[in-house]
Amino acid sequence: MKKRKVIASVFILIALILGAIFYSEIVLPESLEGYFKPAYINQFGPLAICIELLIAGFYLFAGHPKTNFTMALFGFTVVLDFILNLVGLITTGLPFYALIIFLCCAVFAFWLAFSNAFGTGRISFVGAFGSFVMGIIVELFFNYL
């Protein structure tokens, strides 16, 4: 139980620190029309990934039954962001250092989710596929709005 809470605390800390950095970089538009432009909404993509990691960390800390689903959702979102950027379909809003940190967290989150390391409930095929689909939706929303 102590390992689970330490890992969860690290996830929460990473999400809070990077979330604060990304939040501070959001540029508010000067006119009302600016709030409805894709450039403004795209700024929130990295913040959404931080929120996914934060929720997954809180669920892991509490030992919630949906921990593995949220870990897989975070992992799929980050990996899809990386792959789609690598292929050239999107331009990621994540700085390189954040992408590396998130990829390391995503690999670890995948391992936690699919191995059920802390006994929070096995993720089903439907849950894994659902988290994959939701990861795609998050990526496409913040990149192709």
Side-chain angles (χ1 to χ4, degrees), residues 65 68-69 112-117 119-125 127:
N68 292 334
F69 176 81
L112 290 174
F114 291 112
S115 71
N116 194 25
T120 54
R122 282 213 169 278
I123 189 168
S124 66
F125 174 76

Side-chain angles (χ1 to χ4, degrees), residues 17-47:
I17 290 170
L18 290 177
I21 292 170
F22 298 148
Y23 182 75
S24 69
E25 294 176 355
I26 291 176
V27 178
L28 297 176
E30 295 179 13
S31 65
L32 185 61
E33 300 90 34
Y35 286 100
F36 301 103
K37 292 186 178 179
Y40 174 70
I41 296 171
N42 291 348
Q43 297 180 92
F44 291 96
L47 195 58

